[in-house]
Amino acid sequence: MSSAQKQVWEGAIPLQIHLHESEVTTLPPPPPALVLAPRIGYLPLLISLVKPHFSSTLPPGLDAVWFDYKGLPLKWYIPTGVLFDLLCVEPERPWNLTVHFRGYPSNVLLPCEGEDSVKWSFINSLKEAAYVINGNSKNVMNMSQPDQVELWSSVLNGNLEIYRRVASKLKLGTSEDEYTENVSSVLIKSPQSTGDADVTGQVKTGRIPVRLYLWTVNEEFDDFEDAPQIDNWDKVSYINRPVELHKEDGKYFSLNDAVKRILPEFFPENSFVIEGNTNINQSGEEGERSSDPGSSCNAAEIAEIKFVRIQGIEPVLDIPFSWVVNNFVNPEYFLHMCVCLKVNANAVQ
Amino acid sequence: MDLKGAVKEIIPWDGTLSSTDFLLSARTFSEKWKMFNPSFPPWHWIPCSKHHLVASHKVEGYLSLDNMCHIKKSCEEEESNRSLTSKEESNNSQREEPFDCGTLVCPEHEVNHYDFHIIYSSSYRVPVLYFRSYHSDGQLLPLNEIEKDLPGHSAKILSESKWTFITHEEHPYLNRPWYKLHPCGTSEWMKLLYEGDSSLNRNGFIIEHYLVSWFSVIGQVVGLKIPLEMLDTVVSNAS
C-alpha cells in the first residue's frame, strides 16, 4: 500500500451546503450544513447527513434531491472530488453548494434513486474498467454477492484495506503491488541516470481506463482567480477514452504524453498511429504541411496544456504516467483527469 | 495494407471494432438500410466535433435514426404488433400493413416517438445503442412507460435486470439523459455470430458488415427488425 494511495482515499472536501431559497419555509432561514465529503465519494451519499439538517423547514411534497454550484446542476455520478477540481479552478474552501429537495431538472440531470443508483453506476463503471484492462468483465460479473456488498461498503466507508482485499480478486493489474514498490524505489533514485532505465523495464503494455474532463479556453489568464466560470456543462467535453500503451513505448511515458495521446484532435503529432488508413492520412497531412513555407513544428500543436488536475493535485507533467495510474485511480479503476487547454487563437474557426 | 491484413488473419478476432472501422461499417449499414427499408426514416451520420473551438481532424460521430413512431394498440392486438413502425409505412400500399390507415387519425391512440443513436464505445470497442422516447408534445417517457413498448422478451429481461440491461446514462455527445443498451457482452456474441461460418472468415468483410450483423441482434431488443434481404446480401456476397 502506497502512502499516496492512502492519502487519496482519505481526501476530503469541506462543503457548506445551503438550502435553496425557494424551499425555505421558516424565518430565519436554516444555517448551512457543514459536511466533510470524501473525494472519491458521490454527492447523493451525503443525503443521509443533509436531509435531517433541513427537514423541519422543507415545504410539503416528495423529495427529489439534487445539488447545484452557482446554478450549475451537479452530475451525481461524477465523484465529488472531480466535480470540485473541475468547477473550482481556484479552490473554494469551504465549497459552497446549494441543495434542492424539489424541482429535479430531469431534462439535463440523470435521475437518482438514492444509494442504489450510485452503487450501480459504480458497478457499471467497474465493469467498463475491467473490460478496458482485461478485454472482458468476467471477474466483475462473477463477483459473489458477499464480495459485492463488501466492496461497495468499503467504498462507502472509505476503508482502503478491505477494498484492496476484495478488489484483488478482480485481478485488474495483478502486479500492482510489486510494480508500485518498484516505481517508488525508482522515484527515490531519480537523481541517478539509471532511473530512466528502470522505469523503462516496468512500463506495462495494455489499456488504461481514463475519463478526461476537458475545458478549453481561448484567453490568457495568469491567476486561477481570473479564470472564466464554467456555467454550462456544454463547455466541458467529457472524453471516455482509454490510453493505449504499446511495446513501442519502451521509452519514458509521461503524464504529458498520456494527455496528448487522448487528445489527437489538439496534438496530432503526438497521436499514436495504429491503423493503416490513419497512417496514410497522416503521411498526406505531413506532406502538405512540409510543402507549406509557413509551417513549422509548433504549428502542429494547436493547443497548450494549461493545467492537469488529478485528485486535487496538479502533477508535474513529466511524472511517469504509470505512477499516476497506480496511485491516483478512483475505486472503480478509472483515472479521472481535469484538463484545461488554452487553444491558439488562429486555430479558432 | 497486405501486411496488416495478414496480421489480422493470424490473430483470432475478438469481436471488437476500431473507431475507424466503425465509420466504414456505419456507411455500409446506412446504405443497406436505405436500400432495404425505403419506407423507414434513414440512418444519418452525425459528424461531431466535441470541441467547440477547434475543428476535429479525426472524424468522430454517430448514426442517428429519429422520430420512429410506436402506435399503441389495444391489449389483444398489442402482442402481435409489438414492433416499431414508421409513419410513412401506413402510406405504402405495397407493404403488408399491420393496421388500418384509419388508426393514425384515431385520437384514442397515443403515439410514442423514438430516437435511436448508434455510438462507438472506446472502452468496449463496440457500437452501443442509445435511445429515448417522447410523446407528440415532446414530453419524455420514463422507463416504465418505454417498457410497455418493448417486445415481450425484452420487457421480461428489463424487469429482472433493472440496473444492467437498459441503463439511464448521459449521451456522450448531447450531454442529456438517454437510455443505453449495455454493451459489456457485445464483443463476445459478435465473435460467436461469425465464428461458425468459415465462408465469412475474411476480416475486411466482417468489419464492413459488422453493424448490419450487430443490428440484426440489437434491433430486435427494441423491436426494430431487419428484413431478411438485408442479411441475404451478406451471405450471397460471401459465396
Side-chain angles (χ1 to χ4, degrees):
Chain A
M1 181 189 306
S2 75
S3 61
Q5 227 170 32
K6 193 164 181 291
Q7 290 183 45
V8 162
W9 270 67
E10 292 173 355
I13 300 167
L15 305 182
Q16 187 159 255
I17 302 178
H18 308 257
L19 180 61
H20 192 257
E21 57 189 5
S22 69
E23 299 175 17
V24 175
T25 62
T26 60
L27 284 177
L34 303 178
V35 177
L36 202 58
R39 279 191 147 269
I40 58 175
Y42 301 87
L43 287 174
L45 302 179
L46 306 175
I47 292 172
S48 59
L49 297 173
V50 173
K51 176 68 187 298
H53 186 87
F54 293 118
S55 59
S56 61
T57 187
L58 288 175
L62 205 60
D63 281 356
V65 189
W66 59 289
F67 299 83
D68 81 67
Y69 173 59
K70 296 187 177 179
L72 183 71
L74 297 180
K75 301 183 179 183
W76 54 264
Y77 41 93
I78 297 179
T80 306
V82 180
L83 290 170
F84 180 68
D85 292 345
L86 178 65
L87 300 177
C88 285
V89 180
E90 175 66 28
E92 176 185 309
R93 297 193 179 90
W95 191 22
N96 284 282
L97 299 185
T98 301
V99 67
H100 307 250
F101 291 85
R102 307 285 186 268
Y104 200 91
S106 53
N107 58 323
V108 296
L109 206 56
L110 284 173
C112 179
E113 301 172 26
E115 186 184 318
D116 261 1
S117 291
V118 179
K119 173 187 171 185
W120 281 102
S121 175
F122 174 85
I123 295 288
N124 282 330
S125 293
L126 185 62
K127 281 185 196 174
E128 187 174 342
Y131 191 97
V132 167
I133 296 170
N134 286 341
N136 64 71
S137 306
K138 284 171 183 168
N139 288 339
V140 180
M141 310 275 280
N142 296 334
M143 205 188 307
S144 68
Q145 185 67 20
D147 275 347
Q148 199 174 105
V149 170
E150 194 162 31
L151 183 75
W152 177 240
S153 71
S154 71
V155 173
L156 278 182
N157 301 317
N159 193 321
L160 176 55
E161 292 195 22
I162 294 181
Y163 170 83
R164 285 174 57 85
R165 182 169 53 74
V166 183
S168 66
K169 302 180 184 182
L170 303 176
K171 303 196 195 312
L172 300 176
T174 51
S175 63
E176 184 176 346
D177 286 334
E178 299 83 3
Y179 184 41
T180 301
E181 288 169 11
N182 286 335
V183 170
S184 298
S185 65
V186 167
L187 291 177
I188 293 173
K189 295 187 285 186
S190 58
Q192 303 178 22
S193 59
T194 53
D196 286 348
D198 288 344
V199 171
T200 298
Q202 294 299 329
V203 174
K204 65 175 183 177
T205 61
R207 301 206 303 163
I208 309 293
V210 171
R211 288 182 173 166
L212 194 146
Y213 307 82
L214 175 64
W215 176 45
T216 54
V217 294
N218 54 10
E219 61 213 75
E220 190 65 63
F221 58 89
D222 295 322
D223 295 320
F224 285 155
E225 287 176 358
D226 299 329
Q229 177 76 34
I230 295 178
D231 53 15
N232 185 328
W233 279 112
D234 291 331
K235 290 186 177 178
V236 177
S237 292
Y238 169 66
I239 297 172
N240 189 0
R241 193 180 290 168
V243 173
E244 300 202 19
L245 303 176
H246 299 276
K247 293 179 181 177
E248 294 83 4
D249 293 330
K251 66 182 179 65
Y252 191 86
F253 189 70
S254 66
L255 173 61
N256 186 62
D257 297 328
V259 171
K260 292 184 172 180
R261 180 163 299 185
I262 298 173
L263 300 169
E265 305 93 314
F266 295 97
F267 306 101
E269 291 296 341
N270 292 270
S271 62
F272 185 82
V273 176
I274 300 173
E275 294 139 352
N277 293 338
T278 308
N279 197 6
I280 294 174
N281 293 335
Q282 194 84 355
S283 301
E285 289 170 15
E286 287 168 4
E288 291 169 12
R289 236 179 269 122
S290 62
S291 65
D292 182 0
S295 79
S296 65
C297 297
N298 293 333
E301 291 193 357
I302 52 186
E304 167 200 345
I305 299 177
K306 280 206 70 73
F307 67 81
V308 175
R309 192 174 285 175
I310 309 171
Q311 299 292 3
I313 292 172
E314 287 159 44
V316 175
L317 292 182
D318 284 344
I319 194 169
F321 183 60
S322 51
W323 186 91
V324 174
V325 170
N326 280 292
N327 291 281
F328 282 179
V329 290
N330 273 52
E332 87 285 37
Y333 279 82
F334 273 90
L335 182 70
H336 295 259
M337 293 197 276
C338 300
V339 176
C340 179
L341 294 186
K342 176 179 177 298
V343 179
N344 293 332
N346 54 15
V348 178
Q349 289 176 308
Chain B
M1 288 300 293
D2 289 344
L3 177 61
K4 183 185 177 185
V7 171
K8 278 192 169 181
E9 291 293 337
I10 294 172
I11 302 174
W13 184 55
D14 60 358
T16 63
L17 198 64
S18 71
S19 60
T20 300
D21 290 334
F22 172 74
L23 176 58
L24 296 175
S25 191
R27 189 178 300 132
T28 300
F29 175 72
S30 181
E31 287 165 358
K32 284 189 178 301
W33 179 272
K34 192 180 300 182
M35 186 181 305
F36 291 101
N37 287 295
S39 60
F40 277 43
W43 287 90
H44 290 296
W45 178 261
I46 311 290
C48 250
S49 176
K50 300 182 86 171
H51 317 293
H52 307 286
L53 296 178
V54 173
S56 176
H57 99 285
K58 178 183 178 183
V59 178
E60 239 181 70
Y62 58 92
L63 278 173
S64 171
L65 173 67
D66 286 340
N67 204 24
M68 289 289 288
C69 295
H70 183 284
I71 301 177
K72 287 185 178 178
K73 310 289 289 181
S74 58
C75 295
E76 302 86 58
E77 293 172 281
E78 194 167 27
E79 197 60 37
S80 59
N81 288 290
R82 269 205 165 195
S83 62
L84 296 171
T85 60
S86 165
K87 271 180 177 175
E88 288 85 348
E89 186 175 11
S90 61
N91 298 324
N92 189 347
S93 56
Q94 297 175 14
R95 293 178 65 96
E96 178 187 350
E97 297 179 17
F99 45 81
D100 295 330
C101 298
T103 55
L104 278 175
V105 297
C106 185
E108 301 164 22
H109 297 284
E110 290 180 63
V111 177
N112 292 341
H113 301 255
Y114 281 82
D115 294 340
F116 295 97
H117 291 174
I118 302 175
I119 301 173
Y120 180 74
S121 165
S122 295
S123 294
Y124 290 100
R125 287 189 285 196
V126 295
V128 180
L129 185 71
Y130 285 77
F131 65 94
R132 66 174 183 173
S133 179
Y134 45 96
H135 290 303
S136 298
D137 61 3
Q139 180 191 340
L140 292 175
L141 265 69
L143 189 54
N144 53 10
E145 288 290 325
I146 292 176
E147 187 174 347
K148 298 172 186 173
D149 289 347
L150 293 175
H153 56 88
S154 298
K156 183 171 181 290
I157 297 174
L158 180 58
S159 62
E160 292 169 359
S161 312
K162 172 182 180 180
W163 300 103
T164 57
F165 174 49
I166 293 177
T167 55
H168 212 170
E169 309 226 358
E170 185 170 278
H171 191 294
Y173 293 102
L174 301 182
N175 290 336
R176 292 293 184 273
W178 278 58
Y179 293 101
K180 163 185 170 182
L181 272 183
H182 217 268
C184 58
T186 299
S187 63
E188 284 165 15
W189 56 256
M190 281 300 294
K191 185 178 159 189
L192 288 177
L193 210 61
Y194 278 110
E195 208 164 59
D197 202 335
S198 57
S199 65
L200 292 174
N201 193 21
R202 290 184 278 117
N203 286 68
F205 184 84
I206 291 176
I207 293 304
E208 190 181 349
H209 292 89
Y210 187 107
L211 268 181
V212 175
S213 304
W214 172 86
F215 196 80
S216 70
V217 176
I218 289 293
Q220 294 184 57
V221 175
V222 291
L224 277 172
K225 292 175 182 172
I226 254 183
L228 288 180
E229 305 89 59
M230 202 163 163
L231 289 170
D232 282 347
T233 50
V234 172
V235 176
S236 61
N237 282 356
S239 54

